[in-house]
Amino acid sequence: MEFTAQQLGQYNGSDPSKPIYVALKGRVFDVTTGSSFYGPGGAYTMFAGKDASRALAKMSKNEEDIISSLDGLSEKEIGVLNDWEKKFEAKYPVVGRVVS
């Protein structure tokens, strides 16, 4: 499935009848099984329904970092993002891609 950023936002955990999605490097993961982390009240709820690539690379929960842009990231930050991507791939199914 293809999602615009706006469509992805509908899967932010606020509607219990919908799955929870988080995108990483443009790939959309179904993180519903991790709803204690990504659902309402979870430690990572701010990533739900968004592309959290930059924030995860920077290990940041700041709103301005919860975007898909990788511009200006250091080699180390890209490595951190790649590690997150491997964790997501091992734990959550990919359900689509974010398109602009």
Side-chain angles (χ1 to χ4, degrees):
M1 279 189 347
E2 292 187 338
F3 299 88
T4 63
Q6 187 176 2
Q7 288 168 327
L8 181 61
Q10 296 171 22
Y11 298 91
N12 65 3
S14 63
D15 181 345
S17 71
K18 290 184 178 176
I20 303 171
Y21 294 163
V22 173
L24 213 60
K25 291 166 70 174
R27 293 196 302 161
V28 179
F29 292 85
D30 182 340
V31 300
T32 307
T33 57
S35 63
S36 61
F37 299 108
Y38 300 100
Y44 301 110
T45 190
M46 71 288 298
F47 299 151
K50 297 183 180 145
D51 189 315
S53 299
R54 186 176 197 81
L56 289 171
K58 295 174 73 79
M59 300 295 285
S60 166
K61 291 184 181 179
N62 295 334
E63 192 68 36
E64 66 269 14
D65 290 327
I66 306 174
I67 56 174
S68 60
S69 173
L70 306 180
D71 292 346
L73 290 179
S74 69
E75 206 173 295
K76 182 179 179 197
E77 289 166 334
I78 294 291
V80 169
L81 178 58
N82 291 338
D83 288 345
W84 275 109
E85 185 178 29
K86 285 184 186 83
K87 286 177 187 150
F88 271 65
E89 287 170 344
K91 201 168 183 180
Y92 304 117
V94 175
V95 294
R97 294 197 65 76
V98 179
V99 293
S100 36

